[in-house]
Amino acid sequence: MKILLVNRYHYPVGGTETYLFALDRMLREAGHQVRHFSAADPRNLPCGEAEFFARPLDPQKRPFDAARMLWNGEAARKLEALLARERPDVAHLNLVHHSLTLSILGPLARRKIPVVWTVHDLLPLCPNHLMLRAGKPCEDCLRGGYRACLLHRCVGGSVSKSLAGSFETWAARRLRLYDKVGCFIAPSECYRALLERAGFSRASVLHLPNPLPPGTAFDYTPPEGDYILYCGRLSEEKGLFPLLEAAKRLGAPLVVAGEGPLKSALEAAARGGSRVTFRGRVEGEALRKLYRGAKCVAVPSLWREASGYAACEAMAAGRVVAASRAGGLAEHVADGETGFLVPPGDADALTKALSRALALPPAEYERMGRAAVKRAREMFSAGAVRGRLLAIYQTLCEGETP
C-alpha cells in the first residue's frame, strides 16, 4: 500500500511531528510505501517529494498570504501534481489549517483517494484551536455558533483575527468540507466524544492512541536524579506558571526543556529563589537522558491535550507523571498507579502531587514505574497501533466505512 502523509511541517516541532515521523517509520517497517506532502521550509528533513511542497506563507512579507491561510489554492495545485505522479492508495492528514488549508481536500476527492485525518488539536471545532478561554475549558462554539469568539477576541486577542478564524470554521462547516474525509482518528476518547458531539462531519470518528516511535525502549530504570522535568512548548495553555509556583513551594529543582512564546516571562518568573533550569529544545539521546534523570515528569496542561506525548514518553521510560485531569492525559495516566492527576491550573493540588511523587520510597516508585511502562507498551507501542491503523486504511480503500 502507498500512503501519503500530509502535515504543514516536515521537521520536528511538537507532538504532531513526533506522530508523523513515528507513523512514517512504522509503516515503512511493515513494508508499505510512504510519501509526504508539506510546506517548503529550510528546516525540513530530506524528502523525495520536496519539489511538490507548497510555498510557505508569510503575511507580514506578502499581505495576500493572509487570505491564503484560509484557502491555499497553490497548495491544492501542488498536491494535484504530486498525486498525478505518485497515485497513493490513501492520504493521512494531520495539521493542515493556516498553511496547506482545506483546499487540499479537493484534489484528493476528485481522484477518489480515501482520506484519514488524525485530529491533533480542536481547530475543526474552535477558532482558537484550544477550546480554552481565560484558562478554563470553553465549549461555546462546539455546535457552530461563533459569537463568543468575536465577543471575547479568542484568536490572539484580536477582533480581526477572531473574525477570520470564526469565518474559517463556520465556512468549513457550512460547505461540508469535512465530509470529504473518510475517517477521523481521535487520539483520546475525550476527542472522539467532542468530535461526535460537534456534528461537524458525516465521517466516522474512531479512537486510536498516538504511537511512540518504533524502537522506543519501554524499559524501567531507577531515576538517576531528583528533579522535576517538563518537556514541551512554552505557551499559555501548557499551565507552566502553576508548575513554577509548585516547584518553588517545594524547593525542588525543575528542568524545563522546550521553546515558545512564554520563555522570557517564565525566566523572569523563575528568578528569586526558584531552582529552575531552562534547557531549550532537547531531542534524541539528550532528551532520553533527561527522562532517565528525572524523579517526576510534570504535564500540567490547562487545555484538553489530544494525547500529551510528554506523558507517553515519560511512562515508557518508567517515570511517575503528575498531569492535569484533562483530555487524553486523564485517560493515559492511571491516577495512583502510574502517576497522579490534578485539576488543571490548581497550583495547590499540583504541589501535593509533585510532593508525593518526589517522596515515594524506592520500592513504591519502582512499582509505579513498571506499571507505567506496561501501560505505555500496551497503549502506545507500534505493535499496539499499526494493525488497527492498517485495517482503517484497508476498509476505506475497499469503499467501506471503518
Side-chain angles (χ1 to χ4, degrees):
M1 190 180 299
K2 183 183 287 188
I3 300 105
L4 176 67
L5 300 182
V6 181
N7 191 58
R8 64 184 293 181
Y9 303 117
H10 196 68
Y11 58 93
V13 176
T16 300
E17 290 68 45
T18 299
Y19 176 87
L20 177 77
F21 296 118
L23 210 60
D24 177 296
R25 184 173 168 186
M26 185 176 76
L27 293 169
R28 290 181 191 274
E29 289 184 356
H32 299 281
Q33 299 180 65
V34 179
R35 301 293 185 266
H36 288 268
F37 181 65
S38 186
D41 191 288
R43 294 165 290 186
N44 282 347
L45 300 183
C47 179
E49 297 77 57
E51 65 185 282
F52 296 98
F53 284 7
R55 177 177 62 82
L57 301 181
D58 188 347
Q60 292 186 340
K61 293 183 179 179
R62 296 180 293 272
F64 284 110
D65 277 0
R68 295 187 182 101
M69 292 178 72
L70 303 181
W71 190 264
N72 190 341
E74 183 202 11
R77 292 189 292 274
K78 289 275 195 174
L79 178 58
E80 185 75 66
L82 175 61
L83 297 177
R85 188 184 82 171
E86 295 294 340
R87 302 182 183 277
D89 297 299
V90 64
H92 191 148
L93 276 56
N94 294 278
L95 295 181
V96 302
H97 294 91
H98 304 161
S99 175
L100 307 176
T101 75
L102 298 182
S103 66
I104 65 172
L105 291 172
L108 293 166
R110 285 192 292 273
R111 290 181 174 272
K112 295 182 169 55
I113 296 171
V115 176
V116 176
W117 189 330
T118 296
V119 180
H120 298 280
D121 64 22
L122 295 164
L123 194 54
L125 314 182
C126 168
N128 82 356
H129 82 271
L130 297 171
M131 292 184 69
L132 190 73
R133 187 170 73 235
K136 303 294 182 183
C138 172
E139 297 187 1
D140 287 352
C141 298
L142 184 64
R143 296 293 299 179
Y146 304 109
R147 290 179 59 190
C149 178
L150 295 173
L151 179 64
H152 298 285
R153 304 181 183 184
C154 291
V155 182
S158 162
V159 172
S160 60
K161 291 181 180 179
S162 297
L163 179 61
S166 297
F167 174 77
E168 176 189 30
T169 311
W170 171 83
R173 288 198 187 201
R174 181 72 174 177
L175 298 173
R176 307 299 306 183
L177 296 180
Y178 292 113
D179 287 350
K180 296 178 181 179
V181 176
C183 174
F184 288 93
I185 292 177
S188 62
E189 281 291 344
C190 170
Y191 269 40
R192 184 197 59 76
L194 285 171
L195 293 167
E196 289 190 343
R197 282 173 53 205
F200 74 110
S201 173
R202 297 187 181 95
S204 60
V205 182
L206 302 179
H207 170 221
L208 184 64
N210 288 346
L212 287 169
T216 298
F218 295 102
D219 185 33
Y220 172 80
T221 56
E224 298 173 2
D226 63 352
Y227 55 83
I228 302 164
L229 175 64
Y230 169 84
C231 297
R233 180 172 164 79
L234 309 186
S235 51
E236 194 71 37
E237 74 276 7
K238 295 297 186 177
L240 288 161
F241 288 108
L243 175 59
L244 290 185
E245 177 62 26
K248 185 175 182 179
R249 291 178 187 178
L250 294 170
L254 169 64
V255 175
V256 177
E259 296 285 351
L262 284 188
K263 185 176 182 180
S264 296
L266 290 167
E267 289 175 335
R271 296 191 188 105
S274 297
R275 300 170 63 190
V276 183
T277 303
F278 291 89
R279 294 287 302 273
R281 184 174 180 85
V282 181
E283 298 175 307
E285 179 55 33
L287 179 58
R288 289 188 285 273
K289 185 176 180 180
L290 280 182
Y291 279 122
R292 289 196 298 269
K295 185 70 180 288
C296 177
V297 175
V299 192
S301 299
L302 302 179
W303 79 301
R304 287 169 276 205
E305 296 270 5
S307 179
Y309 257 114
C312 304
E313 291 170 343
M315 290 168 61
R319 293 297 162 260
V320 172
V321 177
S324 295
R325 193 186 301 275
L329 295 172
E331 301 168 25
H332 298 157
V333 178
D335 193 22
E337 297 178 19
T338 66
F340 304 105
L341 295 173
V342 301
D346 188 332
D348 292 337
L350 183 58
T351 302
K352 292 177 182 177
L354 292 171
S355 178
R356 289 179 67 187
L358 295 173
L360 285 170
E364 179 65 9
Y365 192 97
E366 181 174 351
R367 182 192 67 79
M368 294 183 70
R370 291 192 182 280
V373 170
K374 181 176 183 293
R375 187 174 177 86
R377 184 185 295 111
E378 291 173 349
M379 297 182 72
F380 314 126
S381 68
V385 175
R386 180 169 45 224
R388 295 167 62 190
L389 179 61
L390 290 174
I392 292 171
Y393 291 165
Q394 189 62 45
T395 302
L396 287 172
C397 287
E398 293 171 355
E400 303 291 334
T401 300

